[in-house]
Amino acid sequence: MDVSQLWDAEPGYFNTASYGLPPRAAFDALQSALADWRVGHTSWEGWNAHAAGAREIFARLVAVPAADVAIGATVSEQIGLVAAALPAGSRVVVPEGEYTSMLFPWLVHRDRGITVDSVPLDRLAEAIDAETTLVAFSLVGSASGEVAPHDDIVSAARDHGAFVAVDGTQACGWLPIDASRFDAFAVHAYKWLMSPRGTSFLVVKPELRELMRPVAAGWYAGEDPFASFYGLPLRLAGDARRFDTSPAWFSWVGTKVALEVVEQIGVAAIHDHDVALADRLREGLGLPPGRSPIVSADVPRAEEKLAAAGVRASVRSGRIRLACHIYTTARDVDAALDALGAP
Ligand SMILES: Cc1ncc(COP(=O)(O)O)c(C=O)c1O
């Protein structure tokens, strides 16, 4: 079966690094929930339950127990919980040009003596030393599409007793990931997991969890959310759920169904499809093969040429960024190459 038939993508979409397109089943589920909302056809518990279901699927996708996964709405708020747990005077190291949702949460603690040093990505592992409290990086860079040398970084962090915090937003959905190797792993689902915006996951290991305060806890962070609406005492979940914030129902309806589709197709198959098409693009542009579905190229007037041909892509750091995902076809790639005037 041609899985691209599970989507309704218009030809020429290369912007998954900005936002992914929903599988038809996810879009339909969302429309049906919205129709029910419009007329008050159902109660809310069914919408709410999609968040728990999405957590289970996400946990399987990244090979961790669901008990280690908290849900939220953005990467920055979830990483903010981790940053608030760092002791005063901590040293954080990050790659140069790190996405700010993985950067500002550490920087806002400057008044507590938390310092943030940035170094080129290929020198991140060697920058970790005995003074390092935590290393933070995106598994796949949002501008370049580069896959971080995560084995080296994790092993340097383990050698020096530093925590490892990873942003998988540009990776999760196409790159097979074992998130149990990291202390904290945050993913916003609206790109490669092809979900509505406003659904994110934070995997956080028990040892790090013990240092963290659930500063945004409300009813949904309760051990039994449905017995946590009113009154004392504090009765938070024993596992990572205590860091949950209450779900934005409709976004989670779409997310759960999108994750089901990702799981059915399989991340390994998506990886092979995406990277093969990106390599077709790279070859057409005279670039060597790569490991990422995101192609970053220096082509004069690329944005203008693509727009004239109806191809949607973005410019990042002065280079054209073309992202291939499961609904991208060889025909899309050839149209983009034609538009760019590739030989
Ligand atoms: C690497 C990365 N992390 C996170 C985000 C989104 O951050 P947030 O969830 O804080 O909006 C993006 C969006 O472009 C991104 O590229």
Side-chain angles (χ1 to χ4, degrees):
M1 179 192 188
D2 175 4
V3 293
S4 72
Q5 295 309 311
L6 302 177
W7 277 263
D8 295 303
E10 278 182 13
Y13 188 74
F14 286 93
N15 256 339
T16 301
S18 294
Y19 70 90
L21 307 183
R24 188 177 310 118
F27 184 82
D28 289 349
L30 178 54
Q31 295 313 307
S32 150
L34 290 174
D36 287 347
W37 174 47
R38 186 177 194 183
V39 297
H41 185 61
T42 59
S43 188
W44 54 275
E45 290 82 352
W47 305 327
N48 203 70
H50 283 77
R55 184 201 322 267
E56 297 283 336
I57 304 172
F58 178 81
R60 288 197 296 274
L61 286 175
V62 300
V64 298
D68 286 353
V69 182
I71 64 155
T74 61
V75 164
S76 60
E77 74 188 35
Q78 293 191 304
I79 291 298
L81 294 169
V82 178
L86 294 186
S90 291
R91 175 182 185 247
V92 176
V93 289
V94 300
E96 282 172 1
E98 179 54 47
Y99 195 81
T100 47
S101 290
M102 191 54 164
L103 183 58
F104 287 178
W106 322 109
L107 288 169
V108 297
H109 290 275
R110 193 166 36 193
D111 64 313
R112 297 202 296 119
I114 292 184
T115 56
V116 178
D117 294 329
S118 73
V119 298
L121 181 60
D122 59 2
R123 299 222 323 263
L124 190 58
E126 67 195 63
I128 299 167
D129 61 20
E131 306 301 311
T132 307
T133 317
L134 179 142
V135 57
F137 63 99
S138 288
L139 194 50
V140 174
S142 114
S144 64
E146 194 178 344
V147 182
H150 48 94
D151 287 339
D152 296 348
I153 299 168
V154 171
S155 109
R158 297 298 168 233
D159 286 349
H160 294 287
F163 286 121
V164 178
V166 175
D167 180 342
T169 302
Q170 295 286 359
C172 200
W174 70 267
L175 185 67
I177 295 167
D178 173 3
S180 69
R181 302 166 59 227
F182 312 132
D183 300 294
F185 180 66
V187 173
H188 200 145
Y190 73 105
K191 296 177 189 283
W192 300 87
L193 290 171
M194 301 169 286
S195 299
R197 205 174 199 290
T199 59
S200 64
F201 300 94
L202 176 69
V203 180
V204 63
K205 287 264 195 66
E207 309 80 68
L208 180 54
R209 234 147 64 202
E210 268 163 33
L211 305 177
M212 290 167 55
R213 189 186 294 265
V215 286
W219 68 276
Y220 197 72
E223 181 63 54
D224 175 1
F226 293 91
S228 306
F229 294 153
Y230 305 109
L232 294 171
L234 183 63
R235 44 198 187 280
L236 295 184
D239 60 15
R241 283 201 303 106
R242 87 182 88 128
F243 300 103
D244 281 3
T245 48
S246 48
W249 294 322
F250 304 111
S251 288
W252 283 102
V253 168
T255 299
K256 174 173 176 241
V257 179
L259 294 193
E260 280 170 355
V261 175
V262 169
E263 191 173 42
Q264 275 157 17
I265 298 173
V267 174
I270 297 174
H271 168 278
D272 293 352
H273 171 96
D274 291 9
V275 175
L277 285 179
D279 276 346
R280 187 179 177 113
L281 252 177
R282 281 186 269 261
E283 190 183 351
L285 294 168
L287 300 170
R291 295 166 57 204
S292 173
I294 300 176
V295 178
S296 167
D298 188 8
V299 181
R301 297 180 28 251
E303 200 179 12
E304 195 185 312
K305 292 176 187 166
L306 291 174
V311 175
R312 284 91 71 213
S314 320
V315 174
R316 288 290 180 279
S317 310
R319 296 164 70 86
I320 194 75
R321 180 185 71 176
L322 293 142
C324 302
H325 205 13
I326 190 69
Y327 35 71
T328 313
T329 62
R331 190 178 293 199
D332 287 326
V333 169
D334 295 344
L337 289 170
D338 273 354
L340 291 170

